[in-house]
Amino acid sequence: MGRTITRLRLLILALALFPAALPAGAADLLVAAISGQVTASDPQEARTGADFQYYEHLFDTLVTRDGFDVAPRLAKSWSNQGHRVWSFQIDPTARFADGRPVTGHDVAYSLCRHQTMVRRMGRETLGLTRVVAEPGGRVILTLESPYRLLPAALSLVFIVAAPTDAGDGPLGCDPAQVLAAHAGAQMGSGPYIPATEPVPPEQRTLVASPNCWRDCPVWSRIVLWSAPDARDRLRLLVTGQADIMEDVIPVHLPYITKMKGVTLAELPTDRTLLLTFNLRPTLPDGKPNPVADIRVRQAISLALDRHVLVERGLEGFAGPAWQLAQPGMEGYLPERPRILRPDPDRARTLLADAGYGEGLDLPLLLPMTRITDRPRVADALSGMLGAIGITLSINPIPAVESRARVAAGDFQVMFAGLGLTAGSAMEGYTAVAGAAEKDSITNPSGYRSPALDELLHQARGANPRDIPSLTERATAILDRDLPMIPLMHIRDLVAHRAGLSLHARDTARAFGRIASPATADARGVRGDD
């Protein structure tokens, strides 16, 4: 580790002698060095942060994110009857990339298509039973049961253009036809379209849509350059090959803050880094799985000092997480930080009771995504667990490989990330511990609790005043079973050339939407008279 840092220091010091270059025609091209890799081949199969980063440029949703709130996008307005029947009015100015209007029929088809594909993947659906596209651009959605946070959930569902032979059905499509044709390219109404020329596999190049209808981009072309290694992202920034470097890691901060022409920005995030466990009794090789024993998981939980994790792992650029929700979110439990305290002595006793008094070796998977690839956090965690007799081996793996490992149950402990799109603890519990997400990348543990599922179902249509009680009961179940442990609330640090302004209106980090020339530099950058 020391040699790596030394080499990195020499590289940065050498590059820091040169200010970040301003690419020629900067208003025409924006290059963002991103940490994740796009893994979904279809917008309605997006799951990772990198997936949403990419598809947010190409497609619109009915509503969008404004911080932790929802705001209009394709839908100008919406209303509901008892949270079970919802009405959305489509903006008549909305246009797809080929210029034709976005209609209620397109929305109905997209929601039906999404629910069909989600059901095929065994994940939780929106619970739609009927979708009707009415004249005048109004779409009526009927649900199986009340769902008061439906608009927030719809902020993750991309709307695609319906084919002329979309079929029919109560939801607006023929599911069999959708599944047969789902591999084809989809058209969106976002401000960009994919470029047609070949690009290197680590790059995604987009060009401005000829029929942009809202929030049209400053940039005629953007490049999302995937560089999972932070040193590579930094190199792209300081050599002028990239305008933006996301996910600045603490070891780089002393150098970045001294660079001329480079600015640091902190963007809002609803994301939490979790430690998740494989709860299956045996591993794929037939050997017993140590973390299937609740005493081992309890020992790990008692060894954690979240404040130290934040300080040593991210130099304080994060928040300790004793729960999924952050202050101000629905279901936040203010007493949690006072209840959960480190107790290494008790942790060692639990390990001995489980038969591991002489020590235990555990592998930790670090999927290379923008939230879970946190090697310094893993190093700090390793030190804490070492103090109670657990030796942690740290294994970074590509995001695509992590999905296969989860599906096969081929892991013991893993970092996972979760965004609370709806700003609700119970919605988060649905993703990380709900039955519908069992064995997924958000709930890799294989955990299922009928009692928890019942509480999650109640929360979908509950009166907001009942949510604190439901959250406390759900949290008590998860404290007892420990399928996962929240570690920290992530804060996004982004380095960019000083001629840019980043307007963080949402948490998807669709840089082509939120980056523009700084006002002070607009005349020179844009070439105005």
Side-chain angles (χ1 to χ4, degrees):
M1 181 67 179
R3 291 183 180 179
T4 300
I5 293 176
T6 300
R7 289 196 298 270
L8 176 62
R9 181 179 293 117
L10 292 175
L11 167 66
I12 296 175
L13 288 176
L15 293 174
L17 297 176
F18 303 94
L22 187 67
D28 297 325
L29 174 66
L30 179 75
V31 180
I34 65 174
S35 57
Q37 296 172 306
V38 179
T39 60
S41 58
D42 187 283
Q44 292 182 338
E45 292 179 325
R47 292 291 283 163
T48 68
D51 291 340
F52 282 102
Q53 275 181 307
Y54 175 63
Y55 288 116
E56 275 276 344
H57 290 93
L58 304 175
F59 297 88
D60 283 318
T61 50
L62 281 174
V63 302
T64 188
R65 297 289 302 280
D66 184 3
F68 297 146
D69 297 322
V70 293
R73 186 173 281 178
L74 284 173
K76 293 174 57 179
S77 60
W78 53 92
S79 60
N80 75 86
Q81 300 175 23
H83 301 298
R84 187 168 180 267
V85 178
W86 289 80
S87 173
F88 292 84
Q89 180 63 50
I90 309 305
D91 191 325
T93 66
R95 294 292 183 274
F96 285 112
D98 64 357
R100 64 186 177 88
V102 179
T103 68
H105 174 61
D106 296 303
V107 171
Y109 169 79
S110 298
L111 296 178
C112 178
R113 184 179 188 272
H114 176 266
Q115 182 149 301
T116 299
M117 295 176 69
V118 164
R119 183 173 285 135
R120 176 180 67 98
M121 292 185 283
R123 288 164 37 204
E124 175 142 336
T125 69
L126 296 172
L128 297 171
T129 59
R130 185 172 177 81
V131 181
V132 178
E134 296 186 340
R138 187 170 295 277
V139 182
I140 308 297
L141 314 182
T142 304
L143 307 178
E144 295 171 346
S145 59
Y147 188 15
R148 59 195 175 80
L149 298 177
L150 178 68
L154 290 175
S155 71
L156 298 177
V157 180
F158 294 112
I159 303 302
V160 304
T164 54
D165 58 346
D168 200 3
L171 297 183
C173 74
D174 178 351
Q177 187 171 328
V178 164
L179 294 177
H182 87 278
Q186 305 299 319
M187 182 183 298
S189 57
Y192 295 93
I193 59 176
T196 56
E197 71 270 18
V199 295
E202 69 273 11
Q203 296 181 19
R204 298 286 180 118
T205 300
L206 308 173
V207 297
S209 170
N211 291 290
C212 179
W213 66 282
R214 176 178 172 178
D215 298 330
C216 294
V218 172
W219 317 101
S220 61
R221 179 179 295 263
I222 63 173
V223 175
L224 300 179
W225 192 327
S226 177
D229 192 317
R231 293 169 297 182
D232 293 332
R233 296 196 299 277
L234 180 61
R235 186 182 300 110
L236 291 173
L237 177 69
V238 300
T239 57
Q241 296 178 78
D243 304 293
I244 296 171
M245 168 199 174
E246 75 166 348
D247 287 345
V248 175
I249 61 175
V251 73
H252 292 164
L253 287 172
Y255 310 101
I256 290 178
T257 54
K258 296 176 182 177
M259 290 179 183
K260 296 180 180 179
V262 173
T263 299
L264 276 171
E266 186 171 348
L267 302 182
T269 168
D270 57 9
R271 298 193 302 278
T272 302
L273 180 65
L274 311 170
L275 189 66
T276 59
F277 302 101
N278 180 357
L279 302 188
R280 300 162 185 83
T282 58
L283 300 171
D285 60 6
K287 294 180 180 179
N289 178 14
V291 297
D293 190 318
I294 183 60
R295 293 169 294 186
V296 174
R297 303 197 300 278
Q298 290 171 336
I300 291 173
S301 178
L302 289 169
L304 296 179
D305 188 324
R306 290 167 174 82
H307 288 290
V308 173
L309 278 179
V310 167
E311 290 301 323
R312 292 183 183 175
L314 292 177
E315 301 289 338
F317 284 96
W322 290 271
Q323 55 193 306
L324 296 185
Q326 302 177 40
M329 288 186 173
E330 181 182 87
Y332 176 76
L333 304 176
E335 294 300 315
R336 294 285 289 175
R338 300 183 182 91
I339 296 172
L340 300 180
R341 296 178 180 275
D343 190 344
D345 292 336
R346 174 62 179 156
R348 283 187 284 268
T349 299
L350 285 166
L351 279 180
D353 291 343
Y356 300 105
E358 300 300 316
L360 174 63
D361 295 332
L362 288 178
L364 170 68
L365 291 192
L366 267 65
M368 296 173 68
T369 72
R370 77 186 204 210
I371 183 172
T372 56
D373 183 17
R374 305 283 172 173
R376 286 193 49 161
V377 176
D379 288 340
L381 176 65
S382 178
M384 292 176 189
L385 297 188
I388 65 168
I390 296 178
T391 300
L392 206 61
S393 58
I394 302 169
N395 304 311
I397 60 172
V400 174
E401 182 181 334
S402 68
R403 294 189 180 195
R405 295 280 291 270
V406 166
D410 186 16
F411 75 100
Q412 294 183 52
V413 188
M414 185 175 88
F415 275 178
L418 179 74
L420 262 64
T421 306
S424 165
M426 293 298 278
E427 290 286 284
Y429 286 161
T430 298
V432 300
E437 296 292 341
K438 180 175 173 286
D439 301 329
S440 74
I441 201 67
T442 58
N443 180 10
S445 64
Y447 176 76
R448 182 173 184 183
S449 165
L452 176 66
D453 288 338
E454 174 58 29
L455 294 175
L456 296 176
H457 178 74
Q458 292 179 35
R460 285 173 66 96
N463 188 305
R465 68 170 176 267
D466 296 327
I467 292 297
S469 173
L470 290 170
T471 305
E472 288 181 353
R473 292 163 62 190
T475 303
I477 292 173
L478 293 173
D479 282 347
R480 180 196 68 202
D481 297 340
L482 279 183
M484 57 82 196
I485 300 174
L487 297 180
M488 59 181 61
H489 299 303
I490 300 298
R491 297 174 188 161
D492 286 341
L493 279 177
V494 177
H496 58 89
R497 60 179 176 84
L500 295 179
S501 291
L502 268 59
H503 313 281
R505 291 189 297 270
D506 58 48
T507 60
R509 292 212 310 233
F511 285 116
R513 287 183 183 258
I514 68 173
S516 62
T519 303
D521 297 346
R523 180 178 297 274
V525 171
R526 294 181 179 176
D528 297 338
D529 295 332

